[in-house]
Amino acid sequence: QVQLVESGGGLVQAGGSLTLSCAASGSIVSINAMAWYRQAPGKQRELVARIISGGTTNYADSVKGRFTIVRYNANNTVYLQMNSLKPEDTAVYYCNAEARIRYWSGYRDYWGQGTRVTVSS
């Protein structure tokens, strides 16, 4: 299986910065894409940023220009640099990996346990 361990959440004032980290481990054959999602209280989980193995990224409109996703394929880690944070960025952030654990199997989604980010006004 695949385990995703996140770190880096916390409390920050509006305008501040945080960097989230996620490390994937386990019986990984390959990872197609890694991403960060978030879920605010009372809202659905939404995609924040995604990066595929070739380096192509995409971001939610609400975070473009403020957040940067970086991935290191060699050690299956992904980071989310978050700048100019706003109170509306407050949420639990989840790491996601599209990975396969066998050469003959397809990719499936794996999730971390989540890390809480709170932005105070």
Side-chain angles (χ1 to χ4, degrees):
Q1 294 300 314
V2 177
Q3 296 81 41
L4 300 177
V5 178
E6 303 125 329
S7 61
L11 173 64
V12 64
Q13 287 189 331
S17 298
L18 279 176
T19 299
L20 305 183
S21 304
C22 173
S25 63
S27 304
I28 300 170
V29 170
S30 61
I31 296 178
N32 177 47
M34 299 188 79
W36 289 94
Y37 286 73
R38 68 185 180 187
Q39 187 166 18
K43 295 188 177 181
Q44 289 189 330
R45 191 173 297 190
E46 63 174 356
L47 175 67
V48 176
R50 183 175 181 266
I51 183 167
I52 64 174
S53 57
T56 300
T57 59
N58 62 287
Y59 296 90
D61 288 342
S62 59
V63 307
K64 283 180 181 177
R66 300 189 296 123
F67 291 11
T68 302
I69 188 169
V70 177
R71 174 182 172 182
Y72 295 98
N73 294 328
N75 56 3
N76 293 328
T77 57
V78 65
Y79 301 87
L80 185 68
Q81 174 66 44
M82 304 185 293
N83 298 325
S84 302
L85 283 161
K86 304 175 181 180
E88 51 263 45
D89 294 318
T90 295
V92 177
Y93 284 71
Y94 296 91
C95 180
N96 166 271
E98 298 170 18
R100 59 176 177 164
I101 59 173
R102 294 178 179 82
Y103 286 100
W104 59 88
S105 67
Y107 289 93
R108 56 154 289 188
D109 284 321
Y110 295 88
W111 296 91
Q113 79 286 354
T115 185
R116 186 174 299 277
V117 172
T118 302
V119 184
S120 63
S121 57

